[in-house]
Amino acid sequence: MGTSAEKEYADFEDKVKRTVYFDNLSPKVKESVLKTALSQFGTVVGVQFIPNYSQFNNMPLCALVEMESVKDAKNVTTEIVNYPFMISGMPRPVRARPAEAQMFTDRPVKPGRKIQCRWVDPKEPYFQVATELKSLARNHAKEALCLLQLQLEEEEKLAKEQAESLKEKYNKFKIIDNLLIDGTMRRLASCYNMNVADE
């Protein structure tokens, strides 16, 4: 049984080496989008979004992406660290770094490791520290929610600006195309002694 547990943990450690941790992702990013965006760096084996347990909306702002090889994982990390990489119109680039074992919720127990849990008595010196940490975590959750709302507002604003810009450019090209089709461009060119190439 010990050998089986050791093999399972060794396989898990290999998986960690092939996995890249992403954060600063748009809440609207889906697995298919992430796979498509990263396929240029290598073969994506799987995507696991890390839920945000401190918020009720549970939006996937971070993800673990397993690549086919360690080389592919290093390529992804190097490229994204050195060059800005945008996904789904996010106002700021995503960040990437090598994954760590602690990031996986399904990680197996390390052979030989034992964890003991117990209640802390209010009279113990660590009780005050635990209380302060709990308060700090709550404040952090509130700040994170405000940042998330701001991030969503910025993303919606950017998406709206991009849609308006695309619509304006489409209308301009449509006008130019109509001028060419109905002969108006040729007549104007004739009035101003300009040559218009036929296409």
Side-chain angles (χ1 to χ4, degrees):
M1 186 173 176
T3 307
S4 175
E6 287 173 3
K7 184 183 182 307
E8 183 185 8
Y9 197 80
D11 291 343
F12 169 70
E13 286 182 317
D14 288 339
K15 178 182 177 180
V16 173
K17 291 175 185 175
R18 297 191 309 271
T19 304
V20 181
Y21 169 78
F22 285 87
D23 69 353
N24 212 27
L25 287 167
S26 162
K28 296 180 181 178
V29 170
K30 304 294 180 191
E31 181 177 343
S32 57
V33 173
L34 204 49
K35 278 187 174 181
T36 303
L38 300 175
S39 61
Q40 60 186 300
F41 304 113
T43 304
V44 178
V45 175
V47 175
Q48 178 188 349
F49 286 106
I50 302 174
N52 186 348
Y53 293 109
S54 64
Q55 305 297 340
F56 294 111
N57 43 28
N58 203 20
M59 289 183 157
L61 300 174
C62 308
L64 293 167
V65 179
E66 183 185 353
M67 305 300 290
E68 190 174 43
S69 66
V70 176
K71 183 182 176 184
D72 288 348
K74 286 181 179 177
N75 286 343
V76 171
T77 308
T78 302
E79 288 296 320
I80 293 178
V81 166
N82 292 331
Y83 304 100
F85 194 74
M86 315 291 274
I87 297 178
S88 288
M90 188 62 196
R92 42 196 167 300
V94 299
R95 294 180 296 232
R97 63 186 173 97
E100 298 173 15
Q102 295 83 355
M103 296 174 177
F104 293 78
T105 55
D106 59 346
R107 67 182 179 274
V109 178
K110 189 174 184 179
R113 184 183 180 196
K114 293 181 180 179
I115 301 175
Q116 293 181 340
C117 299
R118 66 180 181 86
W119 291 103
V120 180
D121 191 279
K123 295 176 183 177
E124 293 185 37
Y126 292 115
F127 184 82
Q128 182 63 31
V129 175
T131 305
E132 289 174 3
L133 285 173
K134 188 176 180 181
S135 175
L136 186 65
R138 284 179 179 168
N139 290 336
H140 177 73
K142 290 176 185 175
E143 291 171 1
L145 181 59
C146 290
L147 287 173
L148 178 59
Q149 289 171 342
L150 180 62
Q151 179 180 324
L152 286 171
E153 287 171 8
E154 287 181 358
E155 187 172 345
E156 287 174 8
K157 182 181 176 184
L158 179 65
K160 187 177 179 182
E161 288 173 358
Q162 288 175 337
E164 289 174 356
S165 175
L166 186 64
K167 188 176 179 181
E168 287 175 8
K169 288 176 182 176
Y170 173 76
N171 288 336
K172 286 178 184 176
F173 283 118
K174 192 175 180 181
I175 290 169
I176 293 170
D177 195 41
N178 288 337
L179 290 174
L180 287 169
I181 291 171
D182 66 11
T184 304
M185 186 74 77
R186 205 168 277 104
R187 289 194 299 273
L188 287 171
S190 167
C191 290
Y192 292 100
N193 295 322
M194 295 174 66
N195 291 325
V196 177
D198 292 327
E199 297 238 346

